[in-house]
């Protein structure tokens, strides 16, 4: 277990508020788990720019494709670090913190999260990477989206004891870095020409597939995870 002073100080400070209002805790818990507040609005903004900037001279569509690739890479790196890195219990499961016995986590949910390391936050990696893609298209929209991700996605997870501040910071840095790299010309040339050719030749099929992929990304690959869990459960090694 490794937590710095800042992490523990923030979590101790927040713990005084979690006992004040059970209804407020439930609202925060709903926001934290709701796709309506998390991925769907952000994916909707991506598609807004996709259709708004359909002119081939615009760079928006290339950035959006690169963003989706970058965010998938960021989540894969985050999950690999979760599984292979040193185990760090989440704040609500940390014996050093008398914390969050009343935040509204269901028993199955809390039991599942007990075994997952908290560092880094894959939520932060994914949603800050998507916000970065929007920022590269529109500075004003991207800045607002960074604020939205911080308030409605990152902070609720810290408040609920699902992550430490450094988990969020590390995930955010990872997500931003992956999208910045994926949009670099030296990297994008690996897939850009092929992507553009597919879009030109099969516009309906390409955009349908991209819509399905982006929706799954916006829902944190929930259906994919359920499928993989089912395969592991019913077809063990």
């Amino acid at each position: 277990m490794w937590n710095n002073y800042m992490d523990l100080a923030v979590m101790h400070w927040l713990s005084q508020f979690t006992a004040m209002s059970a209804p407020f805790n439930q609202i925060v818990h709903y926001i934290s788990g709701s796709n309506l507040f998390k991925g769907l609005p952000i994916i909707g903004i991506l598609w807004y720019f996709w259709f708004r900037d359909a002119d081939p001279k615009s760079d928006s569509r290339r950035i959006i494709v690169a963003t989706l690739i970058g965010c998938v890479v960021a989540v894969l790196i985050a999950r690999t670090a979760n599984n292979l890195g040193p185990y760090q219990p989440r704040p609500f499961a940390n014996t050093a913190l008398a914390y969050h016995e009343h935040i509204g986590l269901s028993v199955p949910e809390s039991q599942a999260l007990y075994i997952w390391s908290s560092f880094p936050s894959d939520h932060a990696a994914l949603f800050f990477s998507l916000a970065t893609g929007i920022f590269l298209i529109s500075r004003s929209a991207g800045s607002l989206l960074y604020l939205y991700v911080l308030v409605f996605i990152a902070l609720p997870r810290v408040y609920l004891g699902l992550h430490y501040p450094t988990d969020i910071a590390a995930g955010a840095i990872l997500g931003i870095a992956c999208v910045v790299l994926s949009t670099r010309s030296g990297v994008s040339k690996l897939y850009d020409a092929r992507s553009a050719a597919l879009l030109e030749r099969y516009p309906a099929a390409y955009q349908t597939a991209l819509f399905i992929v982006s929706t799954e990304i916006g829902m944190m690959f929930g259906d994919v995870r359920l499928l993989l869990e089912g395969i592991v459960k019913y077809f063990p090694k």
Side-chain angles (χ1 to χ4, degrees):
M1 181 176 64
W2 53 284
N3 300 110
N4 60 41
Y5 173 79
M6 186 195 76
D7 276 337
L8 296 178
V10 170
M11 303 315 296
H12 278 299
W13 179 76
L14 281 176
S15 66
Q16 65 184 312
F17 300 103
T18 60
M20 295 177 64
S21 174
F24 179 76
N25 291 345
Q26 289 297 324
I27 292 172
V28 176
H29 188 260
Y30 170 76
I31 291 173
S32 176
S34 172
N35 289 320
L36 184 62
F37 280 91
K38 293 196 299 184
L40 294 183
I42 300 174
I43 295 300
I45 293 172
L46 278 177
W47 279 99
Y48 167 80
F49 284 107
W50 178 272
F51 290 116
R52 192 199 72 169
D53 302 336
D55 190 325
K57 295 181 181 179
S58 171
D59 208 29
S60 295
R61 290 191 168 187
R62 183 190 68 81
I63 292 174
I64 289 170
V65 172
T67 297
L68 294 177
I69 292 173
C71 81
V72 170
V73 172
V75 171
L76 288 175
I77 294 174
R79 294 305 305 157
T80 300
N82 289 150
N83 293 326
L84 300 181
Y87 173 71
Q88 174 169 272
R90 295 173 186 268
F92 77 86
N94 190 340
T95 55
L97 295 168
Y99 194 69
H100 289 23
E101 296 179 355
H102 35 258
I103 56 175
L105 292 176
S106 65
V107 173
E109 182 181 14
S110 61
Q111 287 178 341
L113 292 175
Y114 263 109
I115 63 175
W116 288 2
S117 178
S118 71
F119 183 89
S121 167
D122 55 356
H123 273 71
L126 189 148
F127 292 114
F128 276 99
S129 66
L130 294 175
T132 300
I134 298 299
F135 183 82
L136 294 175
I137 297 171
S138 167
R139 296 293 178 89
S140 57
S143 298
L144 290 174
L145 198 54
Y146 276 134
L147 181 62
Y148 180 88
V149 171
L150 178 64
V151 173
F152 287 95
I153 298 175
L155 290 181
R157 297 188 71 76
V158 175
Y159 177 86
L160 294 172
L162 301 175
H163 283 293
Y164 302 94
T166 50
D167 299 339
I168 299 295
I173 293 170
L174 172 62
I176 292 169
C178 284
V179 169
V180 169
L181 288 174
S182 69
T183 56
R184 293 284 186 178
S185 58
V187 176
S188 63
K189 70 179 182 181
L190 298 174
Y191 57 82
D192 193 36
R194 181 61 175 169
S195 174
L198 287 173
L199 176 58
E200 183 178 359
R201 187 172 182 181
Y202 309 106
Y206 180 93
Q207 292 176 94
T208 298
L210 194 65
F211 172 77
I212 294 172
V213 170
S214 66
T215 301
E216 195 62 36
I217 288 172
M219 296 191 296
M220 291 291 297
F221 309 97
D223 295 321
V224 173
R225 291 204 305 266
L226 287 175
L227 176 62
L228 293 177
E229 290 172 3
I231 291 174
V232 171
K233 179 178 180 180
Y234 292 105
F235 300 97
K237 292 182 179 180

